[in-house]
Amino acid sequence: YEKTGISNLINSEEGVLFLEVAALADDGTNRYISISDDTTSNYIYFRFLSTSNRVLSRTVVGGVTINTLQITITDTTAYNKYAIKWKSGDYAFWINGVEVGTDTNSTIFGADVLNQIKFDFPVGSGTFPSKVKQLQVFKTALTDSELATLTT
């Protein structure tokens, strides 16, 4: 599934991707939810890794990987709340009320670059075999306090 042509709903220069999801199985497959420009040059994604109980957030701007933030969690098949924040000098990955990864890289997307949400890798055509309770995109980068509350 994908929704394209929504650059007016996504702020490329700062924002938050919030998810409350659970994998259907911890079976060694990669699963993605991405915000992108439909290329492998500009995207932010959340991913259940093929490694058991491992999740990852990645940001790529202009074909350059800006950050990869990953962590092992207790159970990917249980519902967990994830937030990926992007803003110049302030990238963060939150899981269940805890900031688990940060990056201070100042590189960010230009205005109106990100224009689609996809339940797959940015240029893939697969699916996201998981359960999704919530998916939200915020047009501003939330504060740490707001992210802690949102993901708790």
Side-chain angles (χ1 to χ4, degrees):
Y1 178 80
E2 67 185 78
K3 180 68 177 163
T4 61
I6 56 172
S7 60
N8 62 322
L9 301 175
I10 302 169
N11 182 352
S12 297
E13 297 165 286
E14 70 174 83
V16 171
L17 171 62
F18 169 72
L19 310 159
E20 185 174 4
V21 296
L24 292 179
D26 187 12
D27 59 3
T29 59
N30 289 303
R31 299 170 176 90
Y32 302 84
I33 293 180
S34 62
I35 299 175
S36 74
D37 64 351
D38 199 26
T39 72
T40 57
S41 295
N42 296 294
Y43 62 81
I44 297 165
Y45 71 55
F46 167 83
R47 175 175 154 194
F48 287 119
L49 290 167
S50 58
T51 305
S52 183
N53 292 320
R54 196 110 174 119
V55 295
L56 175 141
S57 128
R58 177 169 286 154
T59 305
V60 172
V61 178
V64 176
T65 300
I66 301 306
N67 59 55
T68 300
L69 307 170
Q70 62 180 302
I71 190 162
T72 299
I73 63 173
T74 304
D75 184 3
T76 56
T77 63
Y79 279 104
N80 292 285
K81 294 180 180 180
Y82 306 93
I84 300 168
K85 174 174 68 170
W86 66 93
K87 181 179 179 180
S88 178
D90 189 10
Y91 290 90
F93 189 28
W94 286 75
I95 302 173
N96 297 332
V98 178
E99 187 177 53
V100 297
T102 63
D103 191 296
T104 58
N105 194 311
S106 62
T107 304
I108 198 64
F109 306 98
D112 300 322
V113 170
L114 304 176
N115 60 17
Q116 76 170 17
I117 296 175
K118 188 179 247 186
F119 283 80
D120 198 1
F121 189 72
V123 295
S125 59
T127 60
F128 185 71
S130 302
K131 300 176 281 187
V132 179
K133 272 191 183 178
Q134 297 184 71
L135 185 150
Q136 297 177 50
V137 178
F138 294 84
K139 291 180 79 167
T140 58
L142 302 178
T143 66
D144 286 354
S145 176
E146 291 169 327
L147 287 165
T149 299
L150 180 66
T151 59
T152 297

